[in-house]
Amino acid sequence: KHGNSNDSALSETENIFSTPLPLSHWRVLTTEVEAAYKLLNDGAEYIHATSTKYALVGKVDSKEGGNLAVELRKGAELIGTGTLLLFSPTSGASRSLRHYVKQSSRAVIASVLSLIQSFEDGSAVKGVTFVDVKNTTSNEKKIHDNPNNVAAQKTGAVWSACESLQRSLPKGNRAAMRRELMVWVRDCKESIEEFEEIIELGPKLDSVS
């Protein structure tokens, strides 16, 4: 019985992959693809805003910083869901598009992990001193003479990855394939130029004994 269910699932998967895509997939984004891009953009925007708060609050209150880390995870989940939607067979995403989506999504997630890790291992707060703020109604604290800019660097990396996803990720198969072709053309041109330089140098003369 279990084997029959596996065979049925395999048959359904094969049917999905064998279903020809309409020609319009080349230039028209389907509703599913549009939804996936919205999830990616929303996740990047959410992470971009939350990472700033996390870097600032994490130096003062580790507990509150932990709460913001959960918020960062929510943004990462949005990006992960959008990526999975574009990788589903029914989305019609080409290999080129999947390549750029994976590249952009991984860059955002890796930068977020690096930011959180810097607070977990203490590198982002190393050398930070805290001074009680006087004449306040609560026991607030502030960072005093902090030369440590690890958190700022990590946050900048998160911003860069998020902005790259939002601004540079190709929209649809046509844009993704065009970009990949242009990359190939550039690489081929560079290789041709290198070979031409070698040819111009001519054969290496054997030393006369």
Side-chain angles (χ1 to χ4, degrees):
K1 188 175 182 180
H2 181 69
N4 291 336
S5 62
N6 287 342
D7 293 340
S8 177
L10 180 60
S11 177
E12 291 178 3
T13 303
E14 289 175 346
N15 289 335
I16 292 174
F17 278 106
S18 61
T19 303
L21 293 171
L23 291 177
S24 61
H25 86 90
W26 174 252
R27 64 182 183 278
V28 177
L29 301 183
T30 64
T31 304
E32 181 180 354
V33 173
E34 289 279 11
Y37 273 108
K38 187 176 187 308
L39 286 171
L40 290 171
N41 288 325
D42 290 349
E45 185 175 354
Y46 195 77
I47 289 174
H48 189 290
T50 307
S51 62
T52 307
K53 301 176 187 176
Y54 178 78
L56 294 174
V57 175
K59 291 184 176 182
V60 180
D61 189 340
S62 59
K63 183 178 180 181
E64 187 62 28
N67 294 334
L68 288 172
V70 175
E71 297 300 311
L72 286 173
R73 185 184 69 184
K74 291 179 180 178
E77 288 172 349
L78 288 174
I79 290 179
T81 303
T83 302
L84 285 174
L85 282 175
L86 288 173
F87 268 73
S88 66
T90 56
S91 72
S94 64
R95 188 203 61 81
S96 300
L97 179 56
R98 295 196 303 270
H99 165 73
Y100 288 115
V101 168
K102 181 172 70 174
Q103 186 181 67
S104 298
S105 300
R106 280 184 169 180
V108 174
I109 302 303
S111 64
V112 170
L113 289 175
S114 180
L115 173 62
I116 296 175
Q117 183 62 39
S118 68
F119 281 91
E120 290 294 322
D121 61 23
S123 61
V125 294
K126 187 177 181 181
V128 178
T129 57
F130 298 96
V131 179
D132 290 338
V133 178
K134 297 180 180 179
N135 301 322
T136 55
T137 56
S138 61
N139 186 28
E140 297 175 350
K141 293 184 177 181
K142 67 178 180 180
I143 302 172
H144 178 67
D145 294 336
N146 175 27
N148 189 340
N149 62 352
V150 171
Q153 294 174 353
K154 300 290 186 180
T155 305
V158 173
W159 290 356
S160 178
C162 290
E163 290 171 1
S164 177
L165 186 151
Q166 291 178 295
R167 299 176 183 177
S168 302
L169 180 64
K171 297 295 191 298
N173 289 335
R174 182 176 184 178
M177 293 177 183
R178 178 188 295 168
R179 178 178 297 182
E180 190 167 37
L181 284 171
M182 294 302 294
V183 171
W184 289 346
V185 169
R186 183 194 63 194
D187 292 343
C188 288
K189 183 178 179 181
E190 292 175 354
S191 298
I192 291 172
E193 290 174 353
E194 291 175 1
F195 279 115
E196 287 178 344
E197 291 176 0
I198 295 174
I199 293 173
E200 288 176 0
L201 293 174
K204 182 179 179 181
L205 299 176
D206 295 332
S207 56
V208 180
S209 56

